[in-house]
Amino acid sequence: MKPRRWNPDTVAPPLGRYSHLAEVPAGYRLVFLAGQLGVGPDGVLAGSGAEAQGNRIFANLGALLAAEGAGPEHLVKLLTLVAGTEHLDGYRAAQAEAFARWFPDGDYPAQTLAVVAGLARPEYAVEVEAVAAVPG
């Protein structure tokens, strides 16, 4: 069993790769993943662009989920912060690549994307936090 995600006919279809609703099954525990930046385990920023940083962010999220014995299929909610509209295309490219691997059937988690004035440091283009429903 995994989290249930869906889009009811009573609202407009999603504008992107997300579901309007996500439900955590009984017997699962919620795990909150702090906002991830495009920084590798060595502390080095993956690059100046949102695509490189986004690729690293999805690798980080995958590693955090694996540390909990989970995978992307357990994600129920993402919050994405993009530092300026100039980074949207790069982030969307990274997300498209990750989601093609993680959700080939289009069963996406709920997601909010916000364009913000800036993040913790000026060199950060994107930050993504998540909530997962993990068995057990």
Side-chain angles (χ1 to χ4, degrees):
M1 183 176 250
K2 66 178 186 171
R4 178 178 170 227
R5 301 181 283 244
W6 74 102
N7 296 299
D9 294 340
T10 54
V11 297
L15 297 174
R17 294 177 187 91
Y18 64 90
S19 296
H20 283 298
L21 295 168
E23 179 182 32
V24 176
Y28 280 58
R29 59 191 174 87
L30 291 178
V31 176
F32 296 84
L33 290 72
Q36 294 299 297
L37 300 163
V39 177
D42 56 3
V44 174
L45 188 63
S48 61
E51 186 169 0
Q53 290 183 30
N55 289 334
R56 182 70 249 172
I57 287 167
F58 287 111
N60 291 348
L61 291 172
L64 291 170
L65 290 166
E68 284 295 309
E73 69 275 13
H74 296 106
L75 290 170
V76 292
K77 177 75 167 106
L78 298 172
L79 170 62
T80 302
L81 305 173
V82 178
T85 57
E86 67 273 18
H87 296 297
L88 283 171
D89 288 344
Y91 168 72
R92 285 184 174 134
Q95 182 198 53
E97 191 276 323
F99 277 26
R101 285 184 289 111
W102 287 4
F103 310 108
D105 58 0
D107 185 22
Y108 305 121
Q111 182 173 200
T112 299
L113 184 147
V115 176
V116 298
L119 296 168
R121 292 187 180 165
E123 62 269 25
Y124 298 149
V126 181
E127 183 172 351
V128 180
E129 71 176 41
V131 178
V134 179

